[in-house]
Amino acid sequence: MNNLTILLYGDSKQGKSWTADSAPGPRLLIETEGRHRLTPSNKVVWDPRTPLPGITTDDTVVVIVRSFEDFKLIHPVLASGQHYFRSVIIDGLTELQQRLIDNNVAGTAALDLQDYGGILRELSKEIRKYRDLRQNPHKELEVFVCTAGERERGKAGKIKPLVDGQIADRLSYHFDVVGYMQHKPNSAGTYDRVISIDGQNPLYVSGSNWHAITEWYGKDIIVPDISTGRRI
């Protein structure tokens, strides 16, 4: 299933990074949280100021993002089509948004509402640019995956991806699949790690524009695992 955009979100230790690591290779991992060594694929670190490294067909090329300026160096390479990536992963959006805020705030200075709104719009614009790489005339991206933490539901609301501002309400519209990752009890009396894509669930934001996915896998997808051959 090609040209798919996926948002995976949930609490810590639910398997978001591990699942994203199962995207088709060669894959580019835009790393904001420093966890790339914990996932199983072979990694090659790349500075986007330099030429792409030599790799094998299932390697993961890692860009360690220490500032939002680092992040902005990557998209021009992808947009040019002069690369070998089938998949791109941003792991994760929650920390990337904080990098963007840090990039626009000196020291402990506070943002006013107008500046804050502009910063949040910039993140939304960047995410749409990556999403649109699946229709890039130079080289189409097969899979784009983002991960994020979860924001606890309010009194009458749903659990949502952990990003600030209005983008939290709009983020799901940027993706074909929004999967909430959680542990669910199974018939054996233990728990499965699943990606829930039930668009009608009243407790959390989720869903899929690809109806074939729910027809094939149901509303809860067992987390892909490279060691068992299951992949995104």
mmCIF file of all heavy atoms in Angstrom, residues 4 54 56 74 93 95 97 113 125 134 143 151 156 163 175 180 193 213 221 231:
data_model
loop_
_atom_site.group_PDB
_atom_site.id
_atom_site.type_symbol
_atom_site.label_atom_id
_atom_site.label_comp_id
_atom_site.label_asym_id
_atom_site.label_seq_id
_atom_site.Cartn_x
_atom_site.Cartn_y
_atom_site.Cartn_z
ATOM 1 N N LEU A 4 1.231 6.539 1.570
ATOM 2 C CA LEU A 4 0.400 6.566 2.761
ATOM 3 C C LEU A 4 1.010 7.508 3.790
ATOM 4 O O LEU A 4 2.217 7.497 4.017
ATOM 5 C CB LEU A 4 0.298 5.154 3.341
ATOM 6 C CG LEU A 4 -0.689 4.898 4.474
ATOM 7 C CD1 LEU A 4 -2.116 5.115 3.994
ATOM 8 C CD2 LEU A 4 -0.522 3.461 4.983
ATOM 9 N N GLY A 54 26.373 6.236 1.797
ATOM 10 C CA GLY A 54 26.084 4.964 1.164
ATOM 11 C C GLY A 54 25.419 4.025 2.154
ATOM 12 O O GLY A 54 25.850 3.920 3.308
ATOM 13 N N THR A 56 22.541 0.269 2.570
ATOM 14 C CA THR A 56 21.897 -0.879 1.951
ATOM 15 C C THR A 56 20.387 -0.620 1.886
ATOM 16 O O THR A 56 19.889 0.384 2.395
ATOM 17 C CB THR A 56 22.176 -2.163 2.746
ATOM 18 O OG1 THR A 56 21.644 -2.025 4.071
ATOM 19 C CG2 THR A 56 23.675 -2.417 2.846
ATOM 20 N N ILE A 74 16.366 19.583 5.772
ATOM 21 C CA ILE A 74 16.099 18.254 5.219
ATOM 22 C C ILE A 74 15.154 18.295 4.031
ATOM 23 O O ILE A 74 15.383 17.627 3.008
ATOM 24 C CB ILE A 74 15.514 17.343 6.320
ATOM 25 C CG1 ILE A 74 16.458 17.282 7.515
ATOM 26 C CG2 ILE A 74 15.250 15.945 5.768
ATOM 27 C CD1 ILE A 74 15.826 16.697 8.755
ATOM 28 N N LEU A 93 6.707 14.629 16.864
ATOM 29 C CA LEU A 93 6.168 15.970 16.649
ATOM 30 C C LEU A 93 6.136 16.805 17.922
ATOM 31 O O LEU A 93 6.321 18.027 17.881
ATOM 32 C CB LEU A 93 4.745 15.870 16.086
ATOM 33 C CG LEU A 93 4.605 15.609 14.599
ATOM 34 C CD1 LEU A 93 3.130 15.584 14.239
ATOM 35 C CD2 LEU A 93 5.329 16.668 13.788
ATOM 36 N N GLU A 95 8.195 16.938 20.461
ATOM 37 C CA GLU A 95 9.492 17.557 20.709
ATOM 38 C C GLU A 95 9.873 18.518 19.589
ATOM 39 O O GLU A 95 10.494 19.564 19.843
ATOM 40 C CB GLU A 95 10.562 16.473 20.859
ATOM 41 C CG GLU A 95 11.945 16.989 21.196
ATOM 42 C CD GLU A 95 12.024 17.687 22.540
ATOM 43 O OE1 GLU A 95 11.187 17.391 23.416
ATOM 44 O OE2 GLU A 95 12.928 18.535 22.712
ATOM 45 N N GLN A 97 7.893 20.471 17.924
ATOM 46 C CA GLN A 97 7.225 21.737 18.195
ATOM 47 C C GLN A 97 7.981 22.538 19.262
ATOM 48 O O GLN A 97 8.126 23.758 19.142
ATOM 49 C CB GLN A 97 5.787 21.496 18.646
ATOM 50 C CG GLN A 97 5.011 22.794 18.839
ATOM 51 C CD GLN A 97 3.578 22.557 19.242
ATOM 52 O OE1 GLN A 97 3.298 21.943 20.272
ATOM 53 N NE2 GLN A 97 2.652 23.026 18.429
ATOM 54 N N LEU A 113 0.790 36.229 22.219
ATOM 55 C CA LEU A 113 -0.154 35.354 21.521
ATOM 56 C C LEU A 113 0.020 35.411 20.017
ATOM 57 O O LEU A 113 -0.105 34.397 19.327
ATOM 58 C CB LEU A 113 -1.589 35.728 21.912
ATOM 59 C CG LEU A 113 -2.002 35.360 23.332
ATOM 60 C CD1 LEU A 113 -3.413 35.847 23.620
ATOM 61 C CD2 LEU A 113 -1.912 33.858 23.549
ATOM 62 N N LYS A 125 2.546 24.209 8.458
ATOM 63 C CA LYS A 125 3.010 24.337 7.076
ATOM 64 C C LYS A 125 4.092 23.315 6.756
ATOM 65 O O LYS A 125 4.073 22.690 5.681
ATOM 66 C CB LYS A 125 3.551 25.756 6.847
ATOM 67 C CG LYS A 125 4.056 25.997 5.435
ATOM 68 C CD LYS A 125 4.618 27.398 5.275
ATOM 69 C CE LYS A 125 5.939 27.550 5.997
ATOM 70 N NZ LYS A 125 6.572 28.877 5.749
ATOM 71 N N ARG A 134 4.474 12.828 -1.131
ATOM 72 C CA ARG A 134 3.951 11.614 -1.768
ATOM 73 C C ARG A 134 3.480 11.879 -3.189
ATOM 74 O O ARG A 134 3.223 10.953 -3.947
ATOM 75 C CB ARG A 134 2.809 11.037 -0.939
ATOM 76 C CG ARG A 134 1.596 11.933 -0.809
ATOM 77 C CD ARG A 134 0.538 11.252 -0.020
ATOM 78 N NE ARG A 134 -0.617 12.091 0.223
ATOM 79 C CZ ARG A 134 -1.732 11.675 0.810
ATOM 80 N NH1 ARG A 134 -1.830 10.422 1.187
ATOM 81 N NH2 ARG A 134 -2.728 12.489 1.008
ATOM 82 N N VAL A 143 5.790 6.318 2.025
ATOM 83 C CA VAL A 143 5.189 6.367 3.360
ATOM 84 C C VAL A 143 5.785 7.530 4.140
ATOM 85 O O VAL A 143 7.010 7.723 4.159
ATOM 86 C CB VAL A 143 5.434 5.051 4.138
ATOM 87 C CG1 VAL A 143 4.844 5.146 5.546
ATOM 88 C CG2 VAL A 143 4.833 3.862 3.402
ATOM 89 N N ARG A 151 -2.313 13.845 24.672
ATOM 90 C CA ARG A 151 -2.833 14.801 25.625
ATOM 91 C C ARG A 151 -4.076 14.203 26.267
ATOM 92 O O ARG A 151 -4.988 13.740 25.562
ATOM 93 C CB ARG A 151 -3.195 16.117 24.932
ATOM 94 C CG ARG A 151 -3.653 17.210 25.893
ATOM 95 C CD ARG A 151 -4.057 18.475 25.138
ATOM 96 N NE ARG A 151 -2.953 19.020 24.381
ATOM 97 C CZ ARG A 151 -1.955 19.735 24.890
ATOM 98 N NH1 ARG A 151 -1.933 19.971 26.199
ATOM 99 N NH2 ARG A 151 -0.986 20.197 24.134
ATOM 100 N N ALA A 156 -15.145 16.614 28.611
ATOM 101 C CA ALA A 156 -16.037 16.149 27.549
ATOM 102 C C ALA A 156 -15.298 15.873 26.248
ATOM 103 O O ALA A 156 -15.914 15.587 25.227
ATOM 104 C CB ALA A 156 -17.138 17.193 27.305
ATOM 105 N N VAL A 163 0.284 18.143 20.970
ATOM 106 C CA VAL A 163 0.846 19.345 20.361
ATOM 107 C C VAL A 163 0.002 20.517 20.843
ATOM 108 O O VAL A 163 -1.173 20.353 21.172
ATOM 109 C CB VAL A 163 0.879 19.288 18.824
ATOM 110 C CG1 VAL A 163 1.904 18.281 18.347
ATOM 111 C CG2 VAL A 163 -0.495 18.966 18.254
ATOM 112 N N PHE A 175 -3.322 13.638 7.657
ATOM 113 C CA PHE A 175 -2.876 12.253 7.525
ATOM 114 C C PHE A 175 -4.006 11.349 7.049
ATOM 115 O O PHE A 175 -5.173 11.567 7.366
ATOM 116 C CB PHE A 175 -2.349 11.742 8.866
ATOM 117 C CG PHE A 175 -1.130 12.464 9.352
ATOM 118 C CD1 PHE A 175 -1.244 13.613 10.135
ATOM 119 C CD2 PHE A 175 0.138 12.018 9.017
ATOM 120 C CE1 PHE A 175 -0.124 14.292 10.573
ATOM 121 C CE2 PHE A 175 1.263 12.689 9.451
ATOM 122 C CZ PHE A 175 1.131 13.831 10.232
ATOM 123 N N TYR A 180 -4.178 5.551 17.331
ATOM 124 C CA TYR A 180 -3.921 5.709 18.769
ATOM 125 C C TYR A 180 -3.326 4.405 19.291
ATOM 126 O O TYR A 180 -3.952 3.343 19.206
ATOM 127 C CB TYR A 180 -5.217 6.044 19.503
ATOM 128 C CG TYR A 180 -5.057 6.153 20.995
ATOM 129 C CD1 TYR A 180 -4.163 7.059 21.555
ATOM 130 C CD2 TYR A 180 -5.798 5.339 21.852
ATOM 131 C CE1 TYR A 180 -4.012 7.165 22.924
ATOM 132 C CE2 TYR A 180 -5.654 5.442 23.235
ATOM 133 C CZ TYR A 180 -4.753 6.358 23.760
ATOM 134 O OH TYR A 180 -4.597 6.455 25.119
ATOM 135 N N ARG A 193 -0.199 -4.894 22.189
ATOM 136 C CA ARG A 193 0.010 -3.505 21.807
ATOM 137 C C ARG A 193 -0.668 -3.307 20.457
ATOM 138 O O ARG A 193 -0.340 -4.001 19.487
ATOM 139 C CB ARG A 193 1.490 -3.173 21.711
ATOM 140 C CG ARG A 193 2.178 -3.167 23.063
ATOM 141 C CD ARG A 193 3.514 -2.467 23.022
ATOM 142 N NE ARG A 193 4.442 -3.134 22.115
ATOM 143 C CZ ARG A 193 5.703 -2.730 21.931
ATOM 144 N NH1 ARG A 193 6.142 -1.674 22.563
ATOM 145 N NH2 ARG A 193 6.502 -3.381 21.120
ATOM 146 N N ILE A 213 -7.979 -0.682 4.904
ATOM 147 C CA ILE A 213 -7.188 -1.029 6.084
ATOM 148 C C ILE A 213 -8.079 -1.621 7.168
ATOM 149 O O ILE A 213 -7.759 -2.668 7.760
ATOM 150 C CB ILE A 213 -6.431 0.210 6.603
ATOM 151 C CG1 ILE A 213 -5.369 0.634 5.587
ATOM 152 C CG2 ILE A 213 -5.782 -0.090 7.960
ATOM 153 C CD1 ILE A 213 -4.596 1.865 5.990
ATOM 154 N N ILE A 221 -5.169 -2.793 15.129
ATOM 155 C CA ILE A 221 -4.104 -3.464 14.386
ATOM 156 C C ILE A 221 -2.990 -3.840 15.355
ATOM 157 O O ILE A 221 -2.475 -2.978 16.072
ATOM 158 C CB ILE A 221 -3.541 -2.544 13.285
ATOM 159 C CG1 ILE A 221 -4.668 -2.062 12.351
ATOM 160 C CG2 ILE A 221 -2.446 -3.244 12.494
ATOM 161 C CD1 ILE A 221 -4.231 -0.996 11.377
ATOM 162 N N ARG A 231 5.135 -5.413 9.153
ATOM 163 C CA ARG A 231 5.641 -4.065 8.901
ATOM 164 C C ARG A 231 4.504 -3.131 8.553
ATOM 165 O O ARG A 231 3.421 -3.565 8.212
ATOM 166 C CB ARG A 231 6.646 -4.063 7.731
ATOM 167 C CG ARG A 231 7.943 -4.808 7.994
ATOM 168 C CD ARG A 231 8.794 -4.804 6.740
ATOM 169 N NE ARG A 231 10.102 -5.399 6.971
ATOM 170 C CZ ARG A 231 11.189 -4.696 7.266
ATOM 171 N NH1 ARG A 231 11.111 -3.380 7.391
ATOM 172 N NH2 ARG A 231 12.339 -5.289 7.456
#
